Amino acid sequence: MAAAQRIVIENCSIATVDANDTEYATGHIVVADNRIESLGAGRAPEGLENVVRRIDATGHLVTPGLINTHHHFYQWITRGLATDHNLFDWLVALYPTWARIDEPMVRSAAQGSLAMMARGGVTTAMDHHYVYPQGSGDLSGAIIGAARDMGVRFTLARGSMDRSEKDGGLPPDFAVETLEGALAATEETVKKHHDASFDAMTQVAVAPCSPFSISTELLRQGAELARRLGVRMHTHGSETVEEEKFCHELFGMGPTDYFESTGWLGEDVWMAHCVHMNDSDIAAFARTKTGVAHCPSSNARLAAGIARVPDMLAAGVPVGLGVDGTASNESGELHTELRNALLINRLGAHREAALNARQALRLGTFGGAQVLGRAAEIGSLEPGKLADLVLWKLDTLAHASIADPVTALVFGAAAPVTASFVNGRQIVENGRLLTADEDAIARSTREQARRLAGIAQQA
């Protein structure tokens, strides 16, 4: 076997986000191929062999790469619409347009979503894609291909809907799948694309959309499918007061009890939003180790409310951060969610004690790894873990007068990314992607957004 090639990063502050929140005011990290080999205070050890690169990271904070736990990439080409709507009205306004997406649109939107996240420090992304209009092409393949080309670690949550307008759901009839078709297509996607290995770049989860757009049987059989295949499960849960009312009227119970009755609580499950959770709901999530993707900007954009994140964390619920779809979070950046999670939660019952800077950073890194079931591999900087890490530049005007680097990163303006590594491979340098042409992606997304708008208008 060839000797490991090493990258040495020195003279940086380091926030490891390990179990002890170990930090180094001035330290080093040694990367060997795609793993973190060592790290610690001061300069790297002398005599390291096969060092192919040395990085003087003076003025930088190094953290684990950010991990996004909830997104809808296709919405990149419907940004800026229905900006004064709540969730229900927003869905009603946009579903007729979303129902017209096709493979070229989805590929372009995935490239735009991934590019924006990657240049802002995301090293692991996920996409909950659930709109599969009839005859629209290989949408899952287009999304996975875009992530592979970008060089980002990726989980596709293969979504589905089988409750359309004729059944009392929100999506148009032609934009949903049959129960049998959805399950078969999901199983095919898992078998074709899921990689269960330690350093996997692509994984797949089973992810029916939400109680408003799926049948109870799709939920129940989706859970059985996921556990038979050994993959994780994802859906939307407890996002609005309207959802709670819907579940009580249709199923005679609240969302959490409904999910539990269909097999959708467990350590292999994570749910997006979870804004309207009572004490019993939080206790059920904690008891079953069900994870939560907290999406503070989207929750605010759609006036959904403030999730009880401090209470969830205190109870032991795994919580990560999510961008959510960019039709409800037009910036599409996860690093701004560190700040928004902290600030928005301080508007809740716990006020200034809700979250601090290090808790916010943990949500965006190790918390995300827990939620995606990859805490042994990513989410913290520790020897043996995969080399997914980010160098944040904190010595410019925006941050230089803030003494504590983690405070600067979370409370300050969005920090520039000097370098981002995924699996030991650099994908960002000085805020620009090394793996894609950002200008070409911008042109493509603009063209596809106009094409979709034209098709929707004609329809």
XYZ file of all heavy atoms in Angstrom, residues 283-340:
404
model
N -40.334 14.302 25.725
C -39.964 13.101 26.479
C -39.967 11.869 25.580
O -39.090 10.996 25.696
C -40.922 12.910 27.655
N -40.918 11.790 24.654
C -40.975 10.652 23.735
C -39.775 10.657 22.796
O -39.192 9.594 22.512
C -42.277 10.690 22.940
N -39.392 11.807 22.301
C -38.209 11.909 21.439
C -36.956 11.532 22.215
O -36.074 10.834 21.701
C -38.090 13.325 20.875
C -38.817 13.547 19.586
C -40.176 13.293 19.475
C -38.152 14.016 18.471
C -40.856 13.500 18.292
C -38.817 14.224 17.270
C -40.177 13.963 17.183
N -36.860 11.992 23.460
C -35.690 11.672 24.278
C -35.632 10.177 24.591
O -34.560 9.558 24.514
C -35.716 12.492 25.568
N -36.759 9.600 24.934
C -36.820 8.172 25.269
C -36.404 7.301 24.089
O -35.710 6.286 24.256
C -38.239 7.826 25.725
C -38.519 6.346 25.861
C -39.912 6.082 26.440
N -40.957 6.828 25.773
C -41.543 6.447 24.625
N -41.148 5.334 24.019
N -42.507 7.170 24.100
N -36.797 7.705 22.888
C -36.528 6.895 21.698
C -35.290 7.347 20.937
O -34.911 6.706 19.955
C -37.733 6.957 20.757
O -37.995 8.331 20.405
C -38.962 6.360 21.424
N -34.665 8.471 21.385
C -33.494 9.043 20.720
C -33.796 9.475 19.280
O -32.923 9.441 18.410
C -32.304 8.076 20.752
C -31.823 7.728 22.148
C -31.393 8.978 22.905
C -30.911 8.659 24.316
N -30.614 9.885 25.114
N -35.034 9.885 19.049
C -35.415 10.436 17.752
C -34.771 11.814 17.582
O -34.825 12.644 18.489
C -36.948 10.563 17.657
O -37.531 9.272 17.883
C -37.373 11.091 16.301
N -34.177 12.067 16.435
C -33.456 13.311 16.198
C -34.329 14.413 15.628
O -35.426 14.172 15.100
N -33.809 15.643 15.713
C -34.513 16.834 15.237
C -33.580 17.665 14.366
O -32.425 17.894 14.729
C -35.016 17.696 16.416
C -35.560 19.040 15.930
C -36.077 16.941 17.213
N -34.097 18.112 13.218
C -33.403 19.091 12.381
C -34.024 20.448 12.643
O -35.164 20.712 12.241
C -33.533 18.716 10.906
N -33.301 21.305 13.337
C -33.795 22.637 13.718
C -33.494 23.615 12.589
O -32.336 23.760 12.181
C -33.113 23.067 15.015
C -33.466 24.450 15.456
N -34.753 24.933 15.465
C -32.678 25.482 15.914
C -34.751 26.184 15.905
N -33.521 26.535 16.179
N -34.537 24.293 12.100
C -34.411 25.197 10.945
C -34.879 26.595 11.340
O -36.001 27.012 11.002
C -35.231 24.674 9.772
S -34.875 22.969 9.291
N -34.069 27.343 12.086
C -34.556 28.592 12.679
C -34.987 29.645 11.668
O -36.014 30.311 11.862
C -33.369 29.073 13.523
C -32.173 28.365 12.967
C -32.682 27.049 12.488
N -34.229 29.829 10.588
C -34.585 30.881 9.626
C -35.882 30.558 8.912
O -36.748 31.426 8.734
C -33.452 31.079 8.618
O -32.304 31.585 9.245
N -36.040 29.327 8.463
C -37.271 28.942 7.787
C -38.467 29.026 8.726
O -39.542 29.492 8.331
C -37.139 27.523 7.237
O -38.342 27.099 6.638
N -38.282 28.597 9.977
C -39.377 28.687 10.938
C -39.828 30.130 11.119
O -41.026 30.406 11.273
C -38.947 28.114 12.291
C -38.698 26.618 12.237
O -39.109 25.939 11.307
N -38.010 26.108 13.247
N -38.875 31.063 11.096
C -39.216 32.473 11.226
C -39.832 33.009 9.937
O -40.827 33.743 9.962
C -37.964 33.276 11.590
N -39.253 32.637 8.797
C -39.728 33.102 7.483
C -41.200 32.748 7.272
O -41.999 33.538 6.762
C -38.825 32.475 6.445
C -39.022 32.453 4.951
C -39.731 33.517 4.240
N -39.443 33.409 2.813
C -40.347 33.088 1.878
N -41.593 32.852 2.199
N -39.995 33.032 0.600
N -41.608 31.543 7.710
C -42.979 31.073 7.524
C -43.842 31.253 8.770
O -44.958 30.731 8.826
C -42.963 29.602 7.110
C -42.305 29.313 5.755
C -42.191 27.819 5.525
C -43.091 29.965 4.625
N -43.316 31.987 9.743
C -44.059 32.309 10.970
C -44.557 31.063 11.678
O -45.645 31.033 12.258
C -45.230 33.248 10.656
N -43.740 29.997 11.645
C -44.145 28.726 12.261
C -44.012 28.753 13.767
O -44.760 28.073 14.479
C -43.307 27.584 11.681
N -43.036 29.518 14.286
C -42.835 29.581 15.728
C -41.400 29.273 16.107
O -40.529 29.092 15.249
N -41.142 29.217 17.409
C -39.810 28.980 17.949
C -39.767 27.586 18.554
O -40.495 27.282 19.501
C -39.449 30.029 19.026
C -39.526 31.442 18.444
C -38.054 29.755 19.589
C -39.370 32.542 19.481
N -38.932 26.726 17.997
C -38.794 25.370 18.524
C -38.152 25.399 19.912
O -37.309 26.256 20.199
C -37.956 24.520 17.573
N -38.508 24.432 20.748
C -38.007 24.392 22.134
C -36.658 23.669 22.183
O -36.479 22.660 22.872
C -39.035 23.707 23.024
C -40.349 24.463 23.149
C -41.380 23.658 23.931
N -40.906 23.322 25.277
C -41.565 22.500 26.100
N -42.703 21.931 25.715
N -41.081 22.232 27.299
N -35.680 24.206 21.490
C -34.380 23.550 21.387
C -33.695 23.399 22.742
O -33.158 22.319 23.048
C -33.482 24.295 20.383
C -32.058 23.741 20.407
C -34.068 24.168 18.976
N -33.664 24.417 23.601
C -33.020 24.213 24.908
C -33.638 23.068 25.708
O -32.916 22.291 26.353
C -33.219 25.563 25.611
C -33.387 26.547 24.502
C -34.121 25.813 23.432
N -34.957 22.928 25.655
C -35.621 21.847 26.377
C -35.298 20.496 25.748
O -35.135 19.490 26.458
C -37.131 22.074 26.385
C -37.519 23.320 27.159
O -36.826 23.642 28.149
O -38.504 23.977 26.780
N -35.225 20.453 24.429
C -34.855 19.209 23.757
C -33.452 18.769 24.161
O -33.212 17.602 24.488
C -34.922 19.388 22.245
C -36.300 19.638 21.677
S -36.218 19.872 19.881
C -37.824 20.588 19.562
N -32.507 19.715 24.127
C -31.128 19.383 24.484
C -31.030 18.932 25.934
O -30.322 17.968 26.250
C -30.226 20.593 24.234
C -30.065 21.027 22.770
C -29.244 22.305 22.686
C -29.427 19.929 21.934
N -31.751 19.607 26.821
C -31.717 19.237 28.231
C -32.273 17.835 28.453
O -31.829 17.112 29.351
C -32.508 20.254 29.050
N -33.225 17.427 27.619
C -33.828 16.102 27.751
C -32.991 15.011 27.095
O -33.261 13.828 27.291
C -35.227 16.117 27.135
N -31.994 15.403 26.295
C -31.155 14.426 25.618
C -31.576 14.100 24.200
O -31.167 13.072 23.646
N -32.393 14.958 23.588
C -32.797 14.754 22.193
C -31.649 15.166 21.280
O -31.094 16.263 21.427
C -34.054 15.587 21.863
C -34.424 15.446 20.381
C -35.221 15.177 22.748
N -31.249 14.338 20.306
C -30.230 14.760 19.332
C -30.797 15.867 18.437
O -31.883 15.713 17.863
C -29.964 13.486 18.514
C -30.517 12.362 19.330
C -31.658 12.933 20.100
N -30.075 16.985 18.320
C -30.540 18.117 17.513
C -29.425 18.601 16.598
O -28.304 18.837 17.056
C -31.020 19.295 18.400
C -31.548 20.436 17.532
C -32.092 18.839 19.388
N -29.736 18.740 15.321
C -28.825 19.345 14.350
C -29.473 20.564 13.730
O -30.610 20.918 14.058
N -28.760 21.214 12.818
C -29.276 22.402 12.134
C -29.638 22.089 10.693
O -29.006 21.238 10.054
C -28.250 23.532 12.150
C -27.994 24.238 13.470
C -26.997 25.366 13.265
C -29.293 24.778 14.074
N -30.643 22.815 10.179
C -31.033 22.667 8.787
C -31.258 24.012 8.127
O -31.759 24.946 8.759
N -30.882 24.103 6.866
C -31.189 25.291 6.066
C -32.682 25.341 5.766
O -33.310 26.380 5.787
C -30.384 25.263 4.744
C -30.898 26.315 3.762
C -28.901 25.493 5.015
N -33.271 24.193 5.476
C -34.583 24.001 4.889
C -34.560 24.498 3.446
O -33.579 25.067 2.981
C -35.694 24.667 5.694
C -37.065 24.036 5.411
O -37.114 22.987 4.736
O -38.086 24.584 5.859
N -35.628 24.257 2.740
C -35.671 24.631 1.330
C -35.470 26.114 1.122
O -35.919 26.937 1.925
N -34.828 26.459 0.017
C -34.468 27.864 -0.202
C -35.626 28.706 -0.713
O -35.437 29.893 -0.976
C -33.273 27.967 -1.158
O -33.495 27.100 -2.279
C -31.995 27.549 -0.454
N -36.821 28.117 -0.851
C -38.006 28.946 -1.050
C -38.530 29.469 0.280
O -39.442 30.294 0.312
C -39.094 28.172 -1.773
N -37.953 28.988 1.385
C -38.300 29.540 2.705
C -37.046 29.932 3.488
O -37.110 30.176 4.688
C -39.117 28.528 3.520
O -38.347 27.383 3.836
N -35.920 29.987 2.807
C -34.665 30.470 3.390
C -33.779 30.871 2.210
O -32.878 30.131 1.817
C -33.987 29.403 4.241
C -32.665 29.872 4.830
O -32.175 30.957 4.505
N -32.066 29.058 5.672
N -34.072 32.026 1.676
C -33.494 32.400 0.384
C -31.974 32.438 0.365
O -31.361 32.318 -0.698
C -34.066 33.749 -0.070
C -35.396 33.668 -0.786
C -36.592 33.310 0.087
O -36.446 33.266 1.336
O -37.678 33.066 -0.467
N -31.311 32.588 1.516
C -29.844 32.642 1.501
C -29.235 31.269 1.253
O -28.166 31.156 0.651
C -29.304 33.216 2.819
O -29.352 32.248 3.851
N -29.880 30.223 1.737
C -29.378 28.871 1.514
C -28.065 28.566 2.191
O -27.368 27.635 1.791
N -27.706 29.296 3.229
C -26.412 29.132 3.894
C -26.613 28.564 5.300
O -27.448 29.068 6.061
C -25.695 30.477 3.990
C -25.358 31.074 2.630
C -24.731 32.448 2.763
O -25.385 33.345 3.331
O -23.600 32.617 2.293
N -25.828 27.576 5.654
C -25.966 26.992 6.991
C -25.184 27.768 8.045
O -25.600 27.809 9.208
C -25.529 25.525 6.997
C -25.878 24.769 8.282
C -27.386 24.586 8.408
C -25.189 23.416 8.338
N -24.053 28.400 7.669
C -23.258 29.056 8.715
C -24.006 30.229 9.338
O -23.767 30.562 10.496
C -21.875 29.471 8.200
C -21.853 30.432 7.061
N -22.668 30.330 5.969
C -21.058 31.510 6.839
C -22.397 31.309 5.126
N -21.428 32.038 5.632
N -24.956 30.833 8.602
C -25.768 31.883 9.214
C -26.772 31.298 10.208
O -27.270 32.018 11.084
C -26.508 32.686 8.148
O -27.327 31.806 7.368
C -25.531 33.386 7.215
N -27.063 29.992 10.089
C -28.003 29.366 11.021
C -27.404 29.189 12.411
O -28.144 29.065 13.392
C -28.459 28.012 10.480
C -29.195 28.071 9.147
C -30.407 28.980 9.190
O -31.299 28.773 10.032
O -30.458 29.934 8.380
N -26.069 29.151 12.519
C -25.459 29.123 13.849
C -25.922 30.340 14.649
O -26.372 30.228 15.797
C -23.935 29.124 13.738
C -23.253 27.998 12.973
C -21.753 28.270 12.881
C -23.512 26.654 13.638
N -25.800 31.487 14.030
C -26.180 32.748 14.690
C -27.684 32.836 14.899
O -28.169 33.205 15.977
C -25.694 33.917 13.839
C -25.893 35.304 14.443
C -25.200 36.356 13.568
N -25.110 37.641 14.224
C -25.960 38.652 14.003
N -26.961 38.497 13.153
N -25.804 39.792 14.631
N -28.450 32.458 13.855
C -29.902 32.575 13.960
C -30.475 31.617 14.992
O -31.435 31.952 15.687
C -30.540 32.334 12.593
C -30.247 33.470 11.629
O -29.817 34.541 12.046
N -30.476 33.239 10.346
